[in-house]
Amino acid sequence: MAKKSTTKNEKELPYSTVNNLLDKLSSLKNFRSSKKFYIILVALILVALVIYKKNWFVAATINGSPITNLELQMRLNREFRSQTLNQLINEKIILNEAVKNNAVVSEAEINKKISEIETNVGGTDALNALLSQQGQTKDSLRQQIKLQLAIEKLYSKDATTSAEEVEKFVESNKAQLRATDSAGQTKEAADLLKQQKLSQIFSQKFQELRQNAQIKIF
């Protein structure tokens, strides 16, 4: 049987070259599965983020010197953590009590209250401007309304006023009332008295709720 000859255009790959190529491919595969590969990959990703998403890491620069977001968060955490955490705990206590007593506030009720506020202040833009001046947002306003309505649902039935109390209040505070007619003053006085009593009742009830709550701070 005649041997197949190799033409000039056909080049056989030397055995040693094939082995070297396989070794390199094997080394590359092993490197990609090694910890070192992933460390380098993570480092490259972090470098890219620092370059293209600087605001994720740097809050500000002063004459080229950076203030990092980590510094900012550490300062905020140190100075405001206790106050903010205490506020969140109080809110959670109130809302949990509302759930327990079937006094949950709906989104529709919150939206209705916001519409009333917008009407009183002159529209949506006026409300947004007012919130901006006070350093608040629509979300923070919604949370405040949610808490206030929950408190009203929980305790307003106990904040009753008598006609005699209203009459005395009008006589003592007539100069401070916005209404000028008798009926308007009576209604305004009744609303103010109810809010005062509601505030007193809530203050007492909340102290009891806070004392009985199982609070663990980490």
Side-chain angles (χ1 to χ4, degrees), residues 70-82:
L70 179 60
E71 290 178 273
L72 177 61
Q73 291 301 323
M74 288 177 66
R75 177 70 65 86
L76 290 173
N77 189 53
R78 185 168 61 249
E79 295 185 0
F80 300 106
R81 182 181 189 275
S82 178

Side-chain angles (χ1 to χ4, degrees), residues 151-161 193-209:
I151 292 169
E152 290 177 4
K153 283 189 171 187
L154 284 167
Y155 307 116
S156 62
K157 61 183 181 295
D158 300 321
T160 57
T161 58
L193 273 174
K194 187 176 181 66
Q195 285 300 320
Q196 287 180 5
K197 289 195 173 184
L198 179 61
S199 179
Q200 293 170 358
I201 293 169
F202 168 69
S203 179
Q204 179 183 351
K205 295 287 187 181
F206 181 76
Q207 287 181 10
E208 296 173 2
L209 291 173

Side-chain angles (χ1 to χ4, degrees), residues 53-212:
K53 295 290 184 181
K54 184 181 291 185
N55 62 313
W56 289 8
F57 301 91
V58 180
T61 58
I62 297 86
N63 297 325
S65 178
I67 296 175
T68 66
N69 277 320
L70 179 60
E71 290 178 273
L72 177 61
Q73 291 301 323
M74 288 177 66
R75 177 70 65 86
L76 290 173
N77 189 53
R78 185 168 61 249
E79 295 185 0
F80 300 106
R81 182 181 189 275
S82 178
Q83 176 185 344
T84 304
L85 180 58
N86 192 57
Q87 180 180 342
L88 289 171
I89 289 171
N90 291 343
E91 291 178 4
K92 184 70 71 174
I93 290 172
I94 296 168
L95 295 178
N96 284 349
E97 187 68 10
V99 171
K100 189 189 302 183
N101 290 275
N102 197 29
V104 176
V105 178
S106 68
E107 289 297 309
E109 289 173 309
I110 297 173
N111 292 336
K112 180 182 177 183
K113 193 68 176 178
I114 288 179
S115 295
E116 292 174 1
I117 295 172
E118 288 176 344
T119 300
N120 290 335
V121 300
T124 302
D125 292 340
L127 176 58
N128 290 337
L130 186 61
L131 289 172
S132 180
Q133 290 174 7
Q134 296 176 350
Q136 296 190 54
T137 64
K138 222 37 171 320
D139 287 339
S140 64
L141 176 62
R142 293 183 70 86
Q143 183 68 6
Q144 291 174 21
I145 292 172
K146 184 177 183 178
L147 291 168
Q148 182 61 37
L149 291 178
I151 292 169
E152 290 177 4
K153 283 189 171 187
L154 284 167
Y155 307 116
S156 62
K157 61 183 181 295
D158 300 321
T160 57
T161 58
S162 66
E164 184 180 355
E165 287 176 312
V166 173
E167 185 179 349
K168 286 183 178 179
F169 187 90
V170 171
E171 291 176 358
S172 302
N173 302 276
K174 187 171 291 188
Q176 284 74 42
L177 296 175
R178 290 180 295 179
T180 55
D181 61 292
S182 178
Q185 289 177 343
T186 299
K187 183 180 184 307
E188 186 178 347
D191 290 341
L192 290 171
L193 273 174
K194 187 176 181 66
Q195 285 300 320
Q196 287 180 5
K197 289 195 173 184
L198 179 61
S199 179
Q200 293 170 358
I201 293 169
F202 168 69
S203 179
Q204 179 183 351
K205 295 287 187 181
F206 181 76
Q207 287 181 10
E208 296 173 2
L209 291 173
R210 176 95 190 199
Q211 288 172 358
N212 295 329

